[in-house]
Every structure is written in structure tokens, then in C-alpha cells.
């Protein structure tokens, strides 16, 4: 299982997005080839993709065709409400999914009470415009919830920083809501993307995961891993 920020995996010919760095078909082709090569090198069964165009035709014809020669890889693209960059999160998987890539339409206010972003503007609401939740099962039939998270850019900007904090809280609430549906039954949780350590520590504490796992996460944080 892996995650990969593809850095604007878009087709410049079909896109009117002025944020995108690629301006020619040659630049697009080179970028798709480089991404495809790195995906083959990663050789994982489930790969989260970040910053991709929201078109199965574009991503499929330019990426999957270059990576599917040896294994049966399927492409899935999640809903995005990012009207600025129009970026999406997606998934390449050799493992069948038990559900679609679902979008959680939850909004929370910012700044959060614990905020350390020095944002002094008006209280506002934000959701998480680029994410998805899906599920697959292990060989022993254990369900695994997979969350893909792409928070707002420019974390050093006070307003963006405050939004990111609330977006992380959206992810935490979404995870807790999904876990609650299993009514205490065994379920795995995988979160791929940004601010994952902070999110998972909060989840572990809320779900009362054994202290040894929480200590391990804190050791990772202290060593900047």
C-alpha cells in the first residue's frame, strides 16, 4: 500500500486550468511517463494518487495503459469540490474494492480552539474538498477502511493553516463515524495523505488503542519521521 503526490497529473491539451505547470503535449507526455515509471518501481497493490485530473479517460489512457502490462490494475477517481485547482484524489488497485470512493460532505468551523496558526480573522466554516473513503477486505475477510486526504495548500499562511486544522478534524470525525458503523467489530484503518500522524494519534486516543501503539506514534513524531 502506498501514496503518491503526482504533481499535476493533468492533460494540458484538455485543461483550462491556469495553475497547471504543463503547457505543451510534450511536457504532459514526459510527466505521465515519469509517473508511470515510478508507479511500476513502487510495485504496490493499492496506490493512493493525489493531484490528478478528474477524468478516467485522461488518466486511464495516459497512465494505466503504461502500468497495467504485468498486473490487473484498476483506476478509481474520487469526487472533488476544489473549484480552484480542480485536482482530484484517486486510487489504483489490484485488489477489488467493497465500495466506491465516497465523499464526506462535512463542514466544521475554524479556527479550532487549540489553533496555533495565528489566524485572527472571522470564524468561518470549511470542509475537505479533496478526499475519499473506500474499503477493501483482507484474505481473512477483515474490512479495511482507506481514507485519502489532501489538505489545503500553503500551510504557513495563517488562514490556510487554520483551515487545515479544521480539515484534519473533518477527517477524524469521518473516521470515527465510519468505525461506529461496524458496532465494535474488528476493522482496519488506513489514512494516506497529509497530517496523518496528528490525525491517527487523535483516532488512537479516542478509540482507546493500546498505549504501546500511541507511544510508537509519538516516538515517530519526536524523531521527525
Amino acid at each position: 500500500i502506498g501514496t503518491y503526490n503526482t504533481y499535476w497529473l493533468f492533460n494540458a491539451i484538455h485543461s483550462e486550468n491556469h495553475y497547471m505547470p504543463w503547457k505543451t503535449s510534450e511536457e504532459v507526455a514526459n510527466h505521465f511517463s515519469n509517473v508511470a515509471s515510478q508507479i511500476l518501481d513502487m510495485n504496490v497493490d493499492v496506490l493512493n494518487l493525489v493531484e490528478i485530473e478528474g477524468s478516467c479517460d485522461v488518466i486511464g489512457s495516459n497512465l494505466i495503459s503504461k502500468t497495467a502490462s504485468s498486473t490487473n490494475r484498476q483506476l478509481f477517481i474520487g469526487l472533488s469540490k476544489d473549484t480552484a485547482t480542480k485536482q482530484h484524489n484517486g486510487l489504483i488497485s489490484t485488489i477489488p474494492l467493497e465500495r466506491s470512493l465516497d465523499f464526506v460532505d462535512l463542514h466544521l468551523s475554524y479556527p479550532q480552539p487549540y489553533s496555533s496558526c495565528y489566524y485572527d480573522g472571522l470564524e468561518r466554516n470549511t470542509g475537505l474538498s479533496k478526499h475519499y473513503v473506500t474499503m477493501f477486505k483482507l484474505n481473512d475477510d477483515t474490512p479495511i477502511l482507506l481514507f485519502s486526504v489532501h489538505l489545503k495548500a500553503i500551510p504557513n499562511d495563517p488562514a490556510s493553516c487554520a483551515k487545515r486544522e479544521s480539515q484534519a478534524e473533518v477527517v477524524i470525525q469521518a473516521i470515527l463515524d465510519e468505525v461506529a458503523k461496524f458496532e465494535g467489530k474488528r476493522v482496519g484503518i488506513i489514512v494516506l495523505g497529509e497530517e496523518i500522524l496528528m490525525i491517527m494519534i487523535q483516532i488512537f486516543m479516542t478509540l482507546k488503542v493500546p498505549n504501546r501503539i500511541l507511544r510508537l506514534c509519538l516516538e515517530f513524531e519526536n524523531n521527525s519521521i
Side-chain angles (χ1 to χ4, degrees):
I1 296 175
T3 187
Y4 184 13
N5 188 326
T6 64
Y7 186 65
W8 290 101
L9 197 62
F10 278 61
N11 188 330
I13 298 173
H14 297 141
S15 176
E16 299 178 355
N17 194 325
H18 65 276
Y19 289 101
M20 190 179 62
W22 323 121
K23 305 303 179 186
T24 68
S25 57
E26 289 78 14
E27 289 179 330
V28 169
N30 287 337
H31 187 52
F32 269 95
S33 293
N34 290 335
V35 170
S37 177
Q38 292 180 39
I39 288 175
L40 287 172
D41 288 342
M42 293 173 73
N43 192 31
V44 296
D45 294 311
V46 178
L47 181 62
N48 176 51
L49 300 175
V50 178
E51 292 194 10
I52 65 174
E53 187 169 355
S55 167
C56 283
D57 289 339
V58 169
I59 303 300
S61 60
N62 290 283
L63 181 64
I64 300 301
S65 61
K66 296 180 174 66
T67 62
S69 57
S70 58
T71 56
N72 182 24
R73 300 173 190 265
Q74 287 187 292
L75 170 68
F76 305 87
I77 297 180
L79 173 68
S80 171
K81 293 191 176 183
D82 186 340
T83 57
T85 68
K86 298 179 173 63
Q87 295 172 345
H88 289 65
N89 289 14
L91 182 72
I92 297 176
S93 180
T94 63
I95 301 174
L97 300 184
E98 299 292 323
R99 60 189 280 188
S100 60
L101 272 59
D102 295 328
F103 188 92
V104 179
D105 199 7
L106 174 65
H107 289 72
L108 295 175
S109 63
Y110 71 90
Q112 290 287 312
Y114 62 80
S115 179
S116 58
C117 294
Y118 303 104
Y119 170 71
D120 58 1
L122 295 175
E123 181 176 306
R124 300 179 184 275
N125 289 333
T126 186
L128 183 55
S129 60
K130 292 175 287 191
H131 73 276
Y132 64 77
V133 55
T134 188
M135 187 179 79
F136 60 92
K137 288 187 176 180
L138 299 180
N139 291 336
D140 64 358
D141 215 32
T142 300
I144 304 295
L145 292 169
L146 173 61
F147 293 81
S148 170
V149 180
H150 192 196
L151 305 183
K152 192 180 187 311
I154 321 176
N156 293 328
D157 173 74
S160 295
C161 174
K163 286 183 181 180
R164 287 166 63 93
E165 289 177 337
S166 287
Q167 287 176 344
E169 290 292 338
V170 168
V171 178
I172 290 168
Q173 188 58 56
I175 293 173
L176 294 175
D177 289 345
E178 290 288 339
V179 170
K181 295 176 183 178
F182 289 87
E183 299 179 335
K185 297 178 182 177
R186 182 183 180 191
V187 57
I189 304 171
I190 298 173
V191 186
L192 300 173
E194 303 172 273
E195 303 292 348
I196 300 309
L197 181 63
M198 182 272 289
I199 291 170
M200 292 311 296
I201 287 175
Q202 181 63 43
I203 291 297
F204 288 163
M205 293 176 67
T206 303
L207 296 179
K208 296 181 172 60
V209 171
N211 288 336
R212 58 185 176 79
I213 299 178
L214 181 57
R215 285 199 301 272
L216 181 60
C217 285
L218 293 173
E219 288 173 7
F220 281 160
E221 182 180 42
N222 291 336
N223 287 284
S224 301
I225 296 178

